[in-house]
PDB file of all heavy atoms in Angstrom:
ATOM      1  N   MET A  43      97.224  94.424 103.066  1.00  0.00           N
ATOM      2  CA  MET A  43      96.378  95.388 103.771  1.00  0.00           C
ATOM      3  C   MET A  43      95.131  94.700 104.316  1.00  0.00           C
ATOM      4  O   MET A  43      94.719  94.956 105.449  1.00  0.00           O
ATOM      5  CB  MET A  43      96.011  96.535 102.823  1.00  0.00           C
ATOM      6  CG  MET A  43      95.345  97.699 103.486  1.00  0.00           C
ATOM      7  SD  MET A  43      95.160  99.057 102.289  1.00  0.00           S
ATOM      8  CE  MET A  43      94.145 100.171 103.230  1.00  0.00           C
ATOM      9  N   ALA A  46      96.210  92.753 107.375  1.00  0.00           N
ATOM     10  CA  ALA A  46      96.532  93.629 108.506  1.00  0.00           C
ATOM     11  C   ALA A  46      95.277  94.229 109.122  1.00  0.00           C
ATOM     12  O   ALA A  46      95.163  94.337 110.350  1.00  0.00           O
ATOM     13  CB  ALA A  46      97.490  94.728 108.051  1.00  0.00           C
ATOM     14  N   ILE A  47      94.313  94.603 108.298  1.00  0.00           N
ATOM     15  CA  ILE A  47      93.060  95.156 108.836  1.00  0.00           C
ATOM     16  C   ILE A  47      92.289  94.071 109.582  1.00  0.00           C
ATOM     17  O   ILE A  47      91.773  94.303 110.673  1.00  0.00           O
ATOM     18  CB  ILE A  47      92.206  95.792 107.714  1.00  0.00           C
ATOM     19  CG1 ILE A  47      92.895  97.062 107.197  1.00  0.00           C
ATOM     20  CG2 ILE A  47      90.792  96.105 108.218  1.00  0.00           C
ATOM     21  CD1 ILE A  47      92.262  97.659 105.956  1.00  0.00           C
ATOM     22  N   GLY A  50      93.681  93.556 112.922  1.00  0.00           N
ATOM     23  CA  GLY A  50      93.695  94.739 113.773  1.00  0.00           C
ATOM     24  C   GLY A  50      95.038  95.428 113.828  1.00  0.00           C
ATOM     25  O   GLY A  50      95.288  96.232 114.729  1.00  0.00           O
ATOM     26  N   PHE A  51      95.923  95.143 112.875  1.00  0.00           N
ATOM     27  CA  PHE A  51      97.267  95.727 112.855  1.00  0.00           C
ATOM     28  C   PHE A  51      97.376  96.953 111.958  1.00  0.00           C
ATOM     29  O   PHE A  51      98.442  97.536 111.850  1.00  0.00           O
ATOM     30  CB  PHE A  51      98.303  94.702 112.395  1.00  0.00           C
ATOM     31  CG  PHE A  51      98.475  93.539 113.324  1.00  0.00           C
ATOM     32  CD1 PHE A  51      98.836  92.306 112.818  1.00  0.00           C
ATOM     33  CD2 PHE A  51      98.272  93.651 114.687  1.00  0.00           C
ATOM     34  CE1 PHE A  51      98.998  91.213 113.653  1.00  0.00           C
ATOM     35  CE2 PHE A  51      98.425  92.574 115.536  1.00  0.00           C
ATOM     36  CZ  PHE A  51      98.787  91.348 115.019  1.00  0.00           C
ATOM     37  N   PHE A  52      96.309  97.311 111.277  1.00  0.00           N
ATOM     38  CA  PHE A  52      96.338  98.452 110.365  1.00  0.00           C
ATOM     39  C   PHE A  52      95.491  99.543 110.984  1.00  0.00           C
ATOM     40  O   PHE A  52      94.276  99.374 111.163  1.00  0.00           O
ATOM     41  CB  PHE A  52      95.774  98.044 108.996  1.00  0.00           C
ATOM     42  CG  PHE A  52      96.204  98.946 107.874  1.00  0.00           C
ATOM     43  CD1 PHE A  52      97.257  98.594 107.056  1.00  0.00           C
ATOM     44  CD2 PHE A  52      95.545 100.141 107.627  1.00  0.00           C
ATOM     45  CE1 PHE A  52      97.657  99.410 106.012  1.00  0.00           C
ATOM     46  CE2 PHE A  52      95.924 100.967 106.583  1.00  0.00           C
ATOM     47  CZ  PHE A  52      96.993 100.602 105.773  1.00  0.00           C
ATOM     48  N   PRO A  53      96.084 100.669 111.330  1.00  0.00           N
ATOM     49  CA  PRO A  53      95.306 101.711 112.021  1.00  0.00           C
ATOM     50  C   PRO A  53      94.283 102.355 111.101  1.00  0.00           C
ATOM     51  O   PRO A  53      94.462 102.386 109.880  1.00  0.00           O
ATOM     52  CB  PRO A  53      96.382 102.730 112.423  1.00  0.00           C
ATOM     53  CG  PRO A  53      97.460 102.563 111.408  1.00  0.00           C
ATOM     54  CD  PRO A  53      97.467 101.088 111.068  1.00  0.00           C
ATOM     55  N   PRO A  54      93.213 102.875 111.671  1.00  0.00           N
ATOM     56  CA  PRO A  54      92.223 103.589 110.863  1.00  0.00           C
ATOM     57  C   PRO A  54      92.845 104.888 110.336  1.00  0.00           C
ATOM     58  O   PRO A  54      93.151 105.791 111.100  1.00  0.00           O
ATOM     59  CB  PRO A  54      91.065 103.854 111.828  1.00  0.00           C
ATOM     60  CG  PRO A  54      91.640 103.689 113.189  1.00  0.00           C
ATOM     61  CD  PRO A  54      92.837 102.809 113.075  1.00  0.00           C
ATOM     62  N   VAL A  55      93.086 104.909 109.058  1.00  0.00           N
ATOM     63  CA  VAL A  55      93.830 106.005 108.440  1.00  0.00           C
ATOM     64  C   VAL A  55      92.915 107.190 108.123  1.00  0.00           C
ATOM     65  O   VAL A  55      91.734 107.008 107.852  1.00  0.00           O
ATOM     66  CB  VAL A  55      94.542 105.527 107.160  1.00  0.00           C
ATOM     67  CG1 VAL A  55      95.652 104.550 107.492  1.00  0.00           C
ATOM     68  CG2 VAL A  55      93.556 104.908 106.185  1.00  0.00           C
ATOM     69  N   PRO A  56      93.495 108.393 108.127  1.00  0.00           N
ATOM     70  CA  PRO A  56      92.696 109.567 107.783  1.00  0.00           C
ATOM     71  C   PRO A  56      92.574 109.709 106.261  1.00  0.00           C
ATOM     72  O   PRO A  56      93.296 109.046 105.511  1.00  0.00           O
ATOM     73  CB  PRO A  56      93.537 110.722 108.346  1.00  0.00           C
ATOM     74  CG  PRO A  56      94.947 110.230 108.214  1.00  0.00           C
ATOM     75  CD  PRO A  56      94.874 108.744 108.496  1.00  0.00           C
ATOM     76  N   LEU A  98      93.531 106.136 100.081  1.00  0.00           N
ATOM     77  CA  LEU A  98      93.862 105.172 101.134  1.00  0.00           C
ATOM     78  C   LEU A  98      92.671 104.981 102.072  1.00  0.00           C
ATOM     79  O   LEU A  98      92.328 103.854 102.434  1.00  0.00           O
ATOM     80  CB  LEU A  98      95.089 105.649 101.913  1.00  0.00           C
ATOM     81  CG  LEU A  98      95.508 104.799 103.108  1.00  0.00           C
ATOM     82  CD1 LEU A  98      95.867 103.379 102.685  1.00  0.00           C
ATOM     83  CD2 LEU A  98      96.674 105.449 103.842  1.00  0.00           C
ATOM     84  N   ARG A  99      92.027 106.060 102.433  1.00  0.00           N
ATOM     85  CA  ARG A  99      90.872 105.974 103.334  1.00  0.00           C
ATOM     86  C   ARG A  99      89.734 105.187 102.686  1.00  0.00           C
ATOM     87  O   ARG A  99      89.105 104.348 103.335  1.00  0.00           O
ATOM     88  CB  ARG A  99      90.398 107.379 103.728  1.00  0.00           C
ATOM     89  CG  ARG A  99      89.175 107.404 104.621  1.00  0.00           C
ATOM     90  CD  ARG A  99      89.459 106.928 106.018  1.00  0.00           C
ATOM     91  NE  ARG A  99      88.255 107.012 106.840  1.00  0.00           N
ATOM     92  CZ  ARG A  99      88.170 106.555 108.055  1.00  0.00           C
ATOM     93  NH1 ARG A  99      89.220 105.980 108.622  1.00  0.00           N
ATOM     94  NH2 ARG A  99      87.059 106.646 108.739  1.00  0.00           N
ATOM     95  N   TYR A 102      90.588 101.587 102.872  1.00  0.00           N
ATOM     96  CA  TYR A 102      90.406 101.118 104.243  1.00  0.00           C
ATOM     97  C   TYR A 102      88.931 100.844 104.536  1.00  0.00           C
ATOM     98  O   TYR A 102      88.574  99.773 105.056  1.00  0.00           O
ATOM     99  CB  TYR A 102      90.975 102.156 105.226  1.00  0.00           C
ATOM    100  CG  TYR A 102      90.853 101.736 106.668  1.00  0.00           C
ATOM    101  CD1 TYR A 102      91.815 100.924 107.261  1.00  0.00           C
ATOM    102  CD2 TYR A 102      89.770 102.127 107.445  1.00  0.00           C
ATOM    103  CE1 TYR A 102      91.706 100.518 108.581  1.00  0.00           C
ATOM    104  CE2 TYR A 102      89.644 101.731 108.762  1.00  0.00           C
ATOM    105  CZ  TYR A 102      90.614 100.927 109.321  1.00  0.00           C
ATOM    106  OH  TYR A 102      90.490 100.516 110.625  1.00  0.00           O
ATOM    107  N   CYS A 106      87.213  97.182 105.280  1.00  0.00           N
ATOM    108  CA  CYS A 106      86.463  96.948 106.523  1.00  0.00           C
ATOM    109  C   CYS A 106      85.080  96.396 106.209  1.00  0.00           C
ATOM    110  O   CYS A 106      84.621  95.442 106.852  1.00  0.00           O
ATOM    111  CB  CYS A 106      86.345  98.232 107.342  1.00  0.00           C
ATOM    112  SG  CYS A 106      87.848  98.703 108.221  1.00  0.00           S
ATOM    113  N   PRO A 114      86.441 101.963 113.019  1.00  0.00           N
ATOM    114  CA  PRO A 114      86.621 102.715 114.264  1.00  0.00           C
ATOM    115  C   PRO A 114      86.180 104.171 114.098  1.00  0.00           C
ATOM    116  O   PRO A 114      86.268 104.745 113.008  1.00  0.00           O
ATOM    117  CB  PRO A 114      88.134 102.632 114.512  1.00  0.00           C
ATOM    118  CG  PRO A 114      88.567 101.397 113.780  1.00  0.00           C
ATOM    119  CD  PRO A 114      87.680 101.332 112.562  1.00  0.00           C
ATOM    120  N   TRP A 116      87.601 106.708 115.355  1.00  0.00           N
ATOM    121  CA  TRP A 116      88.780 107.582 115.358  1.00  0.00           C
ATOM    122  C   TRP A 116      89.681 107.256 114.162  1.00  0.00           C
ATOM    123  O   TRP A 116      89.527 106.208 113.543  1.00  0.00           O
ATOM    124  CB  TRP A 116      89.565 107.406 116.658  1.00  0.00           C
ATOM    125  CG  TRP A 116      90.087 105.999 116.852  1.00  0.00           C
ATOM    126  CD1 TRP A 116      89.386 104.920 117.322  1.00  0.00           C
ATOM    127  CD2 TRP A 116      91.384 105.520 116.541  1.00  0.00           C
ATOM    128  NE1 TRP A 116      90.176 103.791 117.319  1.00  0.00           N
ATOM    129  CE2 TRP A 116      91.425 104.140 116.853  1.00  0.00           C
ATOM    130  CE3 TRP A 116      92.531 106.122 116.043  1.00  0.00           C
ATOM    131  CZ2 TRP A 116      92.559 103.359 116.677  1.00  0.00           C
ATOM    132  CZ3 TRP A 116      93.669 105.336 115.874  1.00  0.00           C
ATOM    133  CH2 TRP A 116      93.667 103.969 116.189  1.00  0.00           C
ATOM    134  N   THR A 117      90.547 108.174 113.819  1.00  0.00           N
ATOM    135  CA  THR A 117      91.560 107.921 112.788  1.00  0.00           C
ATOM    136  C   THR A 117      92.927 108.275 113.349  1.00  0.00           C
ATOM    137  O   THR A 117      93.056 109.128 114.234  1.00  0.00           O
ATOM    138  CB  THR A 117      91.322 108.751 111.506  1.00  0.00           C
ATOM    139  OG1 THR A 117      91.379 110.137 111.823  1.00  0.00           O
ATOM    140  CG2 THR A 117      89.995 108.410 110.851  1.00  0.00           C
ATOM    141  N   MET A 118      93.930 107.599 112.828  1.00  0.00           N
ATOM    142  CA  MET A 118      95.314 107.863 113.212  1.00  0.00           C
ATOM    143  C   MET A 118      95.755 109.150 112.511  1.00  0.00           C
ATOM    144  O   MET A 118      95.689 109.224 111.285  1.00  0.00           O
ATOM    145  CB  MET A 118      96.200 106.698 112.778  1.00  0.00           C
ATOM    146  CG  MET A 118      97.668 106.879 113.067  1.00  0.00           C
ATOM    147  SD  MET A 118      98.092 106.668 114.790  1.00  0.00           S
ATOM    148  CE  MET A 118      97.849 104.926 115.002  1.00  0.00           C
ATOM    149  N   PRO A 119      96.175 110.163 113.250  1.00  0.00           N
ATOM    150  CA  PRO A 119      96.610 111.404 112.607  1.00  0.00           C
ATOM    151  C   PRO A 119      97.811 111.153 111.680  1.00  0.00           C
ATOM    152  O   PRO A 119      98.698 110.350 111.985  1.00  0.00           O
ATOM    153  CB  PRO A 119      97.009 112.307 113.779  1.00  0.00           C
ATOM    154  CG  PRO A 119      96.314 111.721 114.971  1.00  0.00           C
ATOM    155  CD  PRO A 119      96.219 110.246 114.715  1.00  0.00           C
ATOM    156  N   LEU A 122     101.224 111.535 113.217  1.00  0.00           N
ATOM    157  CA  LEU A 122     101.650 110.397 114.029  1.00  0.00           C
ATOM    158  C   LEU A 122     102.155 109.256 113.133  1.00  0.00           C
ATOM    159  O   LEU A 122     103.136 108.582 113.458  1.00  0.00           O
ATOM    160  CB  LEU A 122     100.505 109.930 114.919  1.00  0.00           C
ATOM    161  CG  LEU A 122     100.835 108.916 116.007  1.00  0.00           C
ATOM    162  CD1 LEU A 122     101.964 109.417 116.910  1.00  0.00           C
ATOM    163  CD2 LEU A 122      99.598 108.639 116.843  1.00  0.00           C
ATOM    164  N   LEU A 123     101.494 109.057 111.996  1.00  0.00           N
ATOM    165  CA  LEU A 123     101.966 108.048 111.044  1.00  0.00           C
ATOM    166  C   LEU A 123     103.361 108.408 110.511  1.00  0.00           C
ATOM    167  O   LEU A 123     104.217 107.535 110.367  1.00  0.00           O
ATOM    168  CB  LEU A 123     100.975 107.903 109.887  1.00  0.00           C
ATOM    169  CG  LEU A 123      99.656 107.210 110.202  1.00  0.00           C
ATOM    170  CD1 LEU A 123      98.680 107.363 109.045  1.00  0.00           C
ATOM    171  CD2 LEU A 123      99.898 105.735 110.513  1.00  0.00           C
ATOM    172  N   ALA A 126     105.897 107.669 113.190  1.00  0.00           N
ATOM    173  CA  ALA A 126     106.132 106.223 113.266  1.00  0.00           C
ATOM    174  C   ALA A 126     107.010 105.759 112.098  1.00  0.00           C
ATOM    175  O   ALA A 126     107.886 104.897 112.278  1.00  0.00           O
ATOM    176  CB  ALA A 126     104.804 105.475 113.261  1.00  0.00           C
ATOM    177  N   VAL A 142     107.803  97.347 110.199  1.00  0.00           N
ATOM    178  CA  VAL A 142     106.477  97.285 109.602  1.00  0.00           C
ATOM    179  C   VAL A 142     106.106  98.588 108.886  1.00  0.00           C
ATOM    180  O   VAL A 142     105.415  98.565 107.874  1.00  0.00           O
ATOM    181  CB  VAL A 142     105.419  96.885 110.658  1.00  0.00           C
ATOM    182  CG1 VAL A 142     105.240  97.961 111.704  1.00  0.00           C
ATOM    183  CG2 VAL A 142     104.100  96.561 109.998  1.00  0.00           C
ATOM    184  N   ILE A 143     106.556  99.713 109.389  1.00  0.00           N
ATOM    185  CA  ILE A 143     106.292 100.986 108.708  1.00  0.00           C
ATOM    186  C   ILE A 143     107.583 101.793 108.662  1.00  0.00           C
ATOM    187  O   ILE A 143     108.348 101.824 109.633  1.00  0.00           O
ATOM    188  CB  ILE A 143     105.154 101.804 109.369  1.00  0.00           C
ATOM    189  CG1 ILE A 143     104.828 103.026 108.510  1.00  0.00           C
ATOM    190  CG2 ILE A 143     105.490 102.171 110.793  1.00  0.00           C
ATOM    191  CD1 ILE A 143     103.522 103.693 108.808  1.00  0.00           C
ATOM    192  N   LEU A 148     105.066 104.372 103.996  1.00  0.00           N
ATOM    193  CA  LEU A 148     104.076 105.432 104.174  1.00  0.00           C
ATOM    194  C   LEU A 148     103.855 106.195 102.869  1.00  0.00           C
ATOM    195  O   LEU A 148     102.712 106.521 102.522  1.00  0.00           O
ATOM    196  CB  LEU A 148     104.489 106.398 105.292  1.00  0.00           C
ATOM    197  CG  LEU A 148     103.454 107.469 105.638  1.00  0.00           C
ATOM    198  CD1 LEU A 148     102.148 106.843 106.110  1.00  0.00           C
ATOM    199  CD2 LEU A 148     104.009 108.422 106.680  1.00  0.00           C
ATOM    200  N   LEU A 151     101.636 104.208 100.661  1.00  0.00           N
ATOM    201  CA  LEU A 151     100.256 104.218 101.137  1.00  0.00           C
ATOM    202  C   LEU A 151      99.554 105.547 100.874  1.00  0.00           C
ATOM    203  O   LEU A 151      98.387 105.569 100.505  1.00  0.00           O
ATOM    204  CB  LEU A 151     100.207 103.914 102.632  1.00  0.00           C
ATOM    205  CG  LEU A 151     100.505 102.486 103.055  1.00  0.00           C
ATOM    206  CD1 LEU A 151     100.630 102.405 104.574  1.00  0.00           C
ATOM    207  CD2 LEU A 151      99.420 101.544 102.563  1.00  0.00           C
TER     208      LEU A 151
END
Side-chain angles (χ1 to χ4, degrees):
M43 190 173 172
I47 291 171
F51 295 150
F52 201 98
V55 292
L98 176 61
R99 178 71 178 174
Y102 181 85
C106 284
W116 61 279
T117 61
M118 177 75 70
L122 191 55
L123 288 170
V142 67
I143 187 164
L148 185 60
L151 288 171

